[in-house]
Amino acid sequence: MSIELLATSTMGLESVVSRELKELGYEPKNIEVGRTLFTGSERDICRANIHLRAAGRVLIRMGEFPAEDFGELFDRTVELPWERWLPKNACFPVDGRSVRSKLSSVPACQSIVKKAIVNRLQKAWNVTELPEDGPRYPVEVSLLKDRATLTIDTTGEGLHRRGYRKLVGAAPLRETLAAGMILLSYWDPERPLLDPFCGSGTIPIEAALIARNIAPGLKRSFVSEAWSQIPFASWTEVRQAAKDAIRPSISASITGCDIDPQAVEMAEYHARMAGVSQDITFQCRDFLKTESSEEYGCSIMNPPYGKWIGDFRELRELYFSIPSVLQKLPTWSHYVFTAFPDFEKLIGQEATRRRKIYNSRLECTYFQFIGPRPPRKGFVDKEKELENPGSLETEISNEEQSSEGSISFKSVSGGPREDSRERFEKVSLAAENSGLTQTEEDKGNPPKDAKPIRGVFGVLSDSVRNSAADFERRLEKLAHHYRRWPSRRGISCFRIYDRDIPEIPLAIDRYEDCLHIAEYERPHDRNAALQVQWMDLMADIAGKVFETPREKIFVKQRRRQRGIAQYERWDTSHYVIQANEGGLKFFVNLSDYLDTGLFLDHRITRDMVRKEAKGKRFLNLFSYTGSFSVYAADGGAESVTTVDLSNTYLDWAQDNMELNGFRGSRFEYVRSDVFRFLDLLYDDEMFDLVVLDPPTFSNSKDLADWDVQRDHAEMLNLLLRHVSPGGVIYFSNNNRRFKLDEELIRGARLREISNRTVPEDFRNRRIHRCWRIVKEKE
C-alpha cells in the first residue's frame, strides 16, 4: 500500500525539491507553499530522508480535510488510521500551526487532535492508558484557510542537520538552503566554484557533497529509524547504496574565502567533519581581493546584509563594490543571495534572473547573473532541449522569479548521471556572448575573429575606447608641455590634466613621482563594473604617458558631498610621501583620503601669506593639514595658531610644522570649531594675518550645519573683532556659485584676487574664489 509523503522546504525552494524527487524516481506535486507531495513505500521514507538536499523534512500525510470548528476537527481526526503507525507505547507530541483559519488558537487545536488520536488508539489497541514511553512519532496539525492537514514527522531534527556542523558562526546559512542555492545555479562538478563570503563553510561543503555524490543524510540518524513499521534492513540497504555511489574525487576546484580567520578555521573544521576537506580550499581573504585564474566558474555567495551582521549603511560600499570585483572574472556566472534593499539599483545592473527565497522568516532574493557558456567539444543544441515540456526551464512559470534550473548529481538508483554535465549547456541567455560557433567549439578554441567575452557585467564600448585614444593624445601633449615647466618654477607637485576632454572628467595631479587621479561625478551609462574598467583604462594610459608604475597611481572618485564627507577615510593603505613646495616639505597621503593633505590650487596663496607673515600674529582657521601655517612660520611669523575640528588633521599639521623644524611655544594647535574658538577669545586677543578657508557645507554637529553662503558674513564679522587695524584676512572657498555679501561685512575693505591666486596649471580658473580683506584702521 502506497504512502502519501510530504517533503517540506523553505519558501522558494519547492521546485528544487520537486526536481530532486524526480531524480529519485518519484512523481512530485507541489500542493502548497513549502510542501511537495509524493507517494512511496516504507523504504522510500529512508531514501527521501537520506538523499534530499534542499528539503526540510519528510512527513507522512495522514489526512487532509475541511475543519471550521473543533467538533469537525475532532471527528475527522478520529477517523484516520493512526494505529497503522502508532503502537501502544508510541510517544506522539502534537505540534500545530494555523494560517488564515477560523480555528486560530493553535494550543486548542493541538489539544483536540491529541484527544482524538488517544481516543482512536485506545479503541484500536483495546487499552485504557497509553504510556507514551516508546519511540517518538511527532504529529503536526496544520490549518490553512480552514483546511487541516495532519502529518507524522519521519525526520526528527530537520534535514539541515547533516551532522558535520558542530560550531556556529555569525549568521549561519542552513545547509538545505545552501544546497538549494547550488542546485539553482549552472554550476556542475567540472566547473570551479567560489564562495567569497564562506563564513563557516556551508556553501563550499554542500557543493563538495554534491560533486562527490555524497548523500546528505549519511552521517545522521532519523526519528523513524526506531519505528517497527520500517525494517532496519531498509535503512542499512539504502545507506550502503548511497555509500557505493560516492565518487572518490572531483575534477574542478571549490574555494571558500572569508575575511575572518576564525570563520575560515571553523569552515576547515566542518569540511573535515563532512569528509570533504581534501576537495575544498579555504582562504582568509578580503572580498575586494577576489581573483581566480580559472575560467567559466560559478561564484555563489551569501554576503552580509544588515539584518544579521552590521547595518545597511556600513555595508553599502561593500555591495557597491560587488560588480567591480566580480568583473575580474569575466567568464564566470555569479549568484548573490541577500536581503539588501535595492541591490540591483545600487550596483547599476539587473540580474539575469531573480528568485524570492525565505531565510528563516526573512524575505531574501537570489540574484542570478549568468555568464558566457563554457566552450565544449561536441556541440549539443540545448535550445531544442528547452522546448521539452518536462525540461527544467519550463517547470518555472514566473520568469521574473524563475531559477536557472535545479540539478542533482544522482540517478534514481543513487548512482552518477552520465548526462548531468550536458544539461548545463542550456545557458542560452549568455551563449551569444561567447563568440563561439559549432565548428570552433568542436576544436575547443575560440575563432580568431571571435568577439571579446562580454561577461556578466559587460565590456567597454568602442566609443569609450575612441575617447580613450583622444585622452592619450591629450596627455602626450601635456607631457611635452610639462617636460621643463615644473623645474623652471621649482615645483614638483602640480595639476596635469583638468577635465580637458568633457567625456573624461578627471583631475590628474603629479605629486613627486606619483599620480593622483580623481574622477568628478558626472552622469554616464556605465554600471559599477564598467566604471572600474573605465577608470583602470584611464589610469593605465596616464601611467604609460607619464612613465609611472601602477603602484604609484592612486585613483578616486570625487562625488558631490555635504559636510565632512570629503575628509573621511577612503582607504587604510597609508601611502605617505614627502612633497616639496616652495622650499618646504609636507607629508602627503595619496591613498587614505579623497584629498591628499596639500591643496595644489593654493600654491600661490600660500606664498602670498609667507611674504606677509614676518613679525605677524598668524591665525589659520579650518587649517586642515596646516600648510598655510608652515608657510607663515617660514615667513617669520611672530606666532602661529592653527585651528581645526579634527584631531587627525591637527596632528598632521603639527607633523608638517615639525618636518620643517618649527617647534616651540609660539606655535599653538587648537581643536575647536571656528565659531566656538572665536567666541572664547578675549576681547584684546588680536591677530595680524588670518587665513579663513572653510568648507562649502558641513553637517557636523560641532559646526552647527555650516553653509558658507549663508554663514560667511557672520563669521567674518566675528573674526574682524580680533583682527588688528590694518590686519589682513585671506578668505577663500571652492563654492563656484558663491557671492560675497559685501554689504553685510562691516569695517573692512574687500578685494577679490582669485585671478592672481589660481595657478596657471589649473585650466579651471574657478577652482577656488579668494578675497583679500583688510580691516580698516580706527
Side-chain angles (χ1 to χ4, degrees), residues 345-358:
K345 182 178 180 181
L346 176 64
I347 67 172
Q349 170 98 9
E350 286 191 2
T352 310
R353 292 175 185 159
R354 64 195 66 80
R355 170 183 284 257
K356 289 183 180 179
I357 301 175
Y358 276 75

mmCIF file of all heavy atoms in Angstrom, residues 345-358:
data_model
loop_
_atom_site.group_PDB
_atom_site.id
_atom_site.type_symbol
_atom_site.label_atom_id
_atom_site.label_comp_id
_atom_site.label_asym_id
_atom_site.label_seq_id
_atom_site.Cartn_x
_atom_site.Cartn_y
_atom_site.Cartn_z
ATOM 1 N N LYS A 345 19.628 48.192 -8.141
ATOM 2 C CA LYS A 345 19.729 49.634 -8.365
ATOM 3 C C LYS A 345 21.080 50.155 -7.885
ATOM 4 O O LYS A 345 21.706 51.004 -8.540
ATOM 5 C CB LYS A 345 18.587 50.348 -7.634
ATOM 6 C CG LYS A 345 18.570 51.851 -7.837
ATOM 7 C CD LYS A 345 17.385 52.475 -7.115
ATOM 8 C CE LYS A 345 17.356 53.988 -7.298
ATOM 9 N NZ LYS A 345 16.211 54.603 -6.575
ATOM 10 N N LEU A 346 21.533 49.632 -6.760
ATOM 11 C CA LEU A 346 22.801 50.089 -6.200
ATOM 12 C C LEU A 346 23.967 49.765 -7.121
ATOM 13 O O LEU A 346 24.839 50.597 -7.361
ATOM 14 C CB LEU A 346 23.021 49.458 -4.818
ATOM 15 C CG LEU A 346 24.365 49.778 -4.144
ATOM 16 C CD1 LEU A 346 24.467 51.263 -3.844
ATOM 17 C CD2 LEU A 346 24.522 48.962 -2.867
ATOM 18 N N ILE A 347 23.994 48.546 -7.664
ATOM 19 C CA ILE A 347 25.123 48.146 -8.497
ATOM 20 C C ILE A 347 24.940 48.564 -9.952
ATOM 21 O O ILE A 347 25.860 48.412 -10.769
ATOM 22 C CB ILE A 347 25.360 46.621 -8.431
ATOM 23 C CG1 ILE A 347 24.196 45.853 -9.078
ATOM 24 C CG2 ILE A 347 25.584 46.180 -6.997
ATOM 25 C CD1 ILE A 347 24.467 44.365 -9.213
ATOM 26 N N GLY A 348 23.757 49.086 -10.300
ATOM 27 C CA GLY A 348 23.538 49.550 -11.658
ATOM 28 C C GLY A 348 23.440 48.445 -12.676
ATOM 29 O O GLY A 348 23.786 48.625 -13.849
ATOM 30 N N GLN A 349 22.965 47.281 -12.272
ATOM 31 C CA GLN A 349 22.891 46.136 -13.174
ATOM 32 C C GLN A 349 21.727 45.246 -12.767
ATOM 33 O O GLN A 349 21.614 44.861 -11.608
ATOM 34 C CB GLN A 349 24.195 45.328 -13.092
ATOM 35 C CG GLN A 349 24.156 43.996 -13.805
ATOM 36 C CD GLN A 349 24.773 44.067 -15.186
ATOM 37 O OE1 GLN A 349 25.370 45.060 -15.538
ATOM 38 N NE2 GLN A 349 24.623 43.015 -15.948
ATOM 39 N N GLU A 350 20.868 44.932 -13.725
ATOM 40 C CA GLU A 350 19.788 43.991 -13.452
ATOM 41 C C GLU A 350 20.311 42.567 -13.535
ATOM 42 O O GLU A 350 21.129 42.243 -14.385
ATOM 43 C CB GLU A 350 18.644 44.184 -14.450
ATOM 44 C CG GLU A 350 17.811 45.424 -14.205
ATOM 45 C CD GLU A 350 16.540 45.426 -15.033
ATOM 46 O OE1 GLU A 350 16.307 44.437 -15.760
ATOM 47 O OE2 GLU A 350 15.796 46.415 -14.962
ATOM 48 N N ALA A 351 19.821 41.724 -12.641
ATOM 49 C CA ALA A 351 20.190 40.314 -12.675
ATOM 50 C C ALA A 351 19.542 39.643 -13.886
ATOM 51 O O ALA A 351 18.509 40.086 -14.388
ATOM 52 C CB ALA A 351 19.743 39.622 -11.397
ATOM 53 N N THR A 352 20.170 38.571 -14.364
ATOM 54 C CA THR A 352 19.565 37.788 -15.431
ATOM 55 C C THR A 352 18.231 37.240 -14.964
ATOM 56 O O THR A 352 17.238 37.264 -15.689
ATOM 57 C CB THR A 352 20.484 36.617 -15.828
ATOM 58 O OG1 THR A 352 21.807 37.119 -16.052
ATOM 59 C CG2 THR A 352 19.983 35.943 -17.084
ATOM 60 N N ARG A 353 18.220 36.744 -13.730
ATOM 61 C CA ARG A 353 17.008 36.252 -13.100
ATOM 62 C C ARG A 353 17.096 36.481 -11.613
ATOM 63 O O ARG A 353 18.175 36.690 -11.062
ATOM 64 C CB ARG A 353 16.813 34.752 -13.376
ATOM 65 C CG ARG A 353 16.517 34.457 -14.826
ATOM 66 C CD ARG A 353 16.452 32.980 -15.076
ATOM 67 N NE ARG A 353 16.288 32.733 -16.502
ATOM 68 C CZ ARG A 353 16.594 31.603 -17.099
ATOM 69 N NH1 ARG A 353 17.072 30.614 -16.398
ATOM 70 N NH2 ARG A 353 16.421 31.462 -18.397
ATOM 71 N N ARG A 354 15.953 36.397 -10.981
ATOM 72 C CA ARG A 354 15.925 36.542 -9.531
ATOM 73 C C ARG A 354 14.827 35.652 -8.972
ATOM 74 O O ARG A 354 13.847 35.367 -9.658
ATOM 75 C CB ARG A 354 15.703 38.010 -9.136
ATOM 76 C CG ARG A 354 14.381 38.583 -9.559
ATOM 77 C CD ARG A 354 14.354 40.091 -9.478
ATOM 78 N NE ARG A 354 15.254 40.710 -10.422
ATOM 79 C CZ ARG A 354 14.980 40.875 -11.709
ATOM 80 N NH1 ARG A 354 13.834 40.437 -12.206
ATOM 81 N NH2 ARG A 354 15.832 41.448 -12.504
ATOM 82 N N ARG A 355 15.004 35.224 -7.739
ATOM 83 C CA ARG A 355 14.034 34.337 -7.099
ATOM 84 C C ARG A 355 13.919 34.718 -5.638
ATOM 85 O O ARG A 355 14.925 34.880 -4.947
ATOM 86 C CB ARG A 355 14.493 32.884 -7.234
ATOM 87 C CG ARG A 355 13.697 31.888 -6.407
ATOM 88 C CD ARG A 355 14.251 30.485 -6.542
ATOM 89 N NE ARG A 355 13.867 29.911 -7.812
ATOM 90 C CZ ARG A 355 12.899 29.004 -7.967
ATOM 91 N NH1 ARG A 355 12.215 28.602 -6.919
ATOM 92 N NH2 ARG A 355 12.611 28.511 -9.138
ATOM 93 N N LYS A 356 12.693 34.848 -5.160
ATOM 94 C CA LYS A 356 12.470 35.134 -3.747
ATOM 95 C C LYS A 356 12.564 33.843 -2.947
ATOM 96 O O LYS A 356 11.900 32.860 -3.266
ATOM 97 C CB LYS A 356 11.110 35.785 -3.535
ATOM 98 C CG LYS A 356 11.021 37.207 -4.055
ATOM 99 C CD LYS A 356 9.667 37.824 -3.757
ATOM 100 C CE LYS A 356 9.596 39.257 -4.295
ATOM 101 N NZ LYS A 356 8.267 39.865 -4.038
ATOM 102 N N ILE A 357 13.380 33.872 -1.939
ATOM 103 C CA ILE A 357 13.564 32.722 -1.050
ATOM 104 C C ILE A 357 13.622 33.246 0.375
ATOM 105 O O ILE A 357 14.251 34.271 0.631
ATOM 106 C CB ILE A 357 14.861 31.948 -1.375
ATOM 107 C CG1 ILE A 357 14.851 31.447 -2.821
ATOM 108 C CG2 ILE A 357 15.049 30.771 -0.416
ATOM 109 C CD1 ILE A 357 16.156 30.772 -3.240
ATOM 110 N N TYR A 358 12.987 32.542 1.276
ATOM 111 C CA TYR A 358 12.996 32.965 2.674
ATOM 112 C C TYR A 358 14.147 32.309 3.415
ATOM 113 O O TYR A 358 14.349 31.094 3.338
ATOM 114 C CB TYR A 358 11.667 32.638 3.349
ATOM 115 C CG TYR A 358 10.616 33.693 3.116
ATOM 116 C CD1 TYR A 358 9.967 33.804 1.897
ATOM 117 C CD2 TYR A 358 10.297 34.605 4.123
ATOM 118 C CE1 TYR A 358 9.020 34.795 1.679
ATOM 119 C CE2 TYR A 358 9.345 35.589 3.922
ATOM 120 C CZ TYR A 358 8.717 35.684 2.693
ATOM 121 O OH TYR A 358 7.780 36.668 2.481
#
